[in-house]
Amino acid sequence: MSLTTARFSGPPAEWDGFVRAQPGWTHFHLYGWRRIFERVFGHECIYFAARDEAGRLAGVLPLVRVRSLLFGHYLVSMPAVNYGGPLGTAAAVQALVASAVELARNDGVKLLELRSRQELPLDLPVSHRKVTVVLDLPQGDPAKLMKSFDAKLRSQVRRPQKEGITFRFGPDQVGPFFEVFARHMRDLGTPTQSKRLFETIAEVFPDAWFGCAWLGDQPIAGGAGFVWGSEFEMTWASSLYSFNRLSPNMGLYYAFMERAMQEGITLFN
């Protein structure tokens, strides 16, 4: 069966329907991320598709062109997040990556990076510098998860509630989350993403999770992440150093885990 590769020109629903049917898909493969990268960063998004002789999708590869005065010229799938890379049949993956390699060579790109979470049928160098840690969530009674922790960890998780810390979820937590996130990144001496990124994520993906730990009227820890399939990923999380003794980050993570279990999610990334 012959395949043709070209930039995707179909409806977003066609792309997303194909993505959701593929092993190894992630939230970051969804078409809405194209809108986010174009609007927030001004990046060129090159979404390749492989089709069979009948015009049916056999594979997809979302690529984003990143230009930096400091680091150079990259093609990445996907930047600013943990996963990406091609999806589809082995033949489609090979055809899509061949198109990406040709584009990278023709454009003098410094690096082509495919952030796949699964092994790909490719003869390209592989880096294992990133590690994914996934926790199995017990189904049914959330107390089972607490019982699986050792005594010290249970104490750290329970301490925030004893100190009067509460946890809130929803789109109204985007601002408080960013307040904590930006301050934490500043304290680390690390440039932060813009508030506009998270506002746009919440607009494009209303199902994104934003949650904060509150002490009175002050947010002191925050997290944001995404659900795909039976998995939730905590993509960003921060807490304020000045409140470390209250362990708000431990309580926040457990609050996210409780919510995940309530929604039938079985993996916490």
Side-chain angles (χ1 to χ4, degrees):
M1 179 174 60
S2 64
L3 296 171
T4 59
T5 61
R7 296 200 184 197
F8 180 77
S9 59
E14 181 190 20
W15 178 284
D16 285 350
F18 179 84
V19 163
R20 293 180 187 276
Q22 304 308 305
W25 77 282
T26 72
H27 194 279
F28 311 111
H29 285 94
L30 296 175
Y31 199 81
W33 285 95
R34 179 173 193 164
R35 180 178 170 191
I36 292 169
F37 287 120
E38 289 177 342
R39 182 192 297 183
V40 176
F41 300 104
H43 293 329
E44 179 190 4
C45 293
I46 306 159
Y47 275 40
F48 280 123
R51 295 185 183 271
D52 62 20
E53 294 170 335
R56 295 181 296 251
L57 283 175
V60 295
L61 172 58
L63 274 177
V64 180
R65 190 188 301 275
V66 179
R67 295 182 185 271
S68 166
L69 292 176
L70 182 61
F71 298 108
H73 180 188
Y74 295 84
L75 288 172
V76 186
S77 177
M78 298 284 283
V81 294
N82 294 317
Y83 306 120
L87 297 174
T89 66
V93 166
Q94 291 164 355
L96 288 165
V97 174
S99 294
V101 169
E102 181 181 12
L103 176 67
R105 286 174 174 162
N106 290 342
D107 291 359
V109 169
K110 181 178 180 181
L111 176 69
L112 168 65
E113 182 171 276
L114 308 175
R115 297 180 175 177
S116 176
R117 66 184 296 175
Q118 59 184 353
E119 186 175 1
L120 298 174
L122 303 172
D123 185 22
L124 291 175
V126 177
S127 169
H128 296 287
R129 70 181 185 276
K130 291 191 175 185
V131 175
T132 294
V133 179
V134 180
L135 176 69
D136 290 314
L137 297 178
Q139 294 303 285
D141 184 3
K144 293 180 182 178
L145 178 63
M146 182 69 78
K147 291 177 181 177
S148 71
F149 300 154
D150 62 34
K152 180 179 179 181
L153 182 54
R154 289 197 299 269
S155 176
Q156 290 175 318
V157 170
R158 289 169 174 157
R159 180 164 189 179
Q161 291 184 343
K162 292 180 180 178
E163 298 288 346
I165 293 173
T166 58
F167 305 96
R168 307 177 196 170
F169 290 93
D172 61 333
Q173 299 302 298
V174 173
F177 158 78
F178 183 76
E179 179 184 330
V180 173
F181 179 73
R183 182 171 168 185
H184 185 209
M185 292 298 103
R186 181 203 66 189
D187 291 345
L188 290 173
T190 303
T192 183
Q193 301 288 2
S194 69
K195 185 178 182 181
R196 188 182 180 201
L197 169 63
F198 301 106
E199 291 173 336
T200 305
I201 287 173
E203 176 187 335
V204 175
F205 295 113
D207 59 344
W209 291 15
F210 287 89
C212 288
W214 290 78
L215 183 61
D217 60 358
Q218 182 180 2
I220 60 174
F226 307 92
V227 174
W228 64 86
S230 60
E231 182 173 349
F232 171 80
E233 183 199 74
M234 182 80 93
T235 310
W236 297 280
S238 293
S239 61
L240 301 183
Y241 285 129
S242 54
F243 294 94
N244 276 0
R245 63 182 180 82
L246 304 181
S247 302
N249 58 320
M250 306 298 276
L252 181 74
Y253 265 79
Y254 189 74
F256 271 88
M257 291 176 187
E258 280 191 314
R259 179 179 176 183
M261 285 186 285
Q262 291 166 0
E263 298 199 9
I265 294 166
T266 58
L267 295 174
F268 190 90
N269 181 330

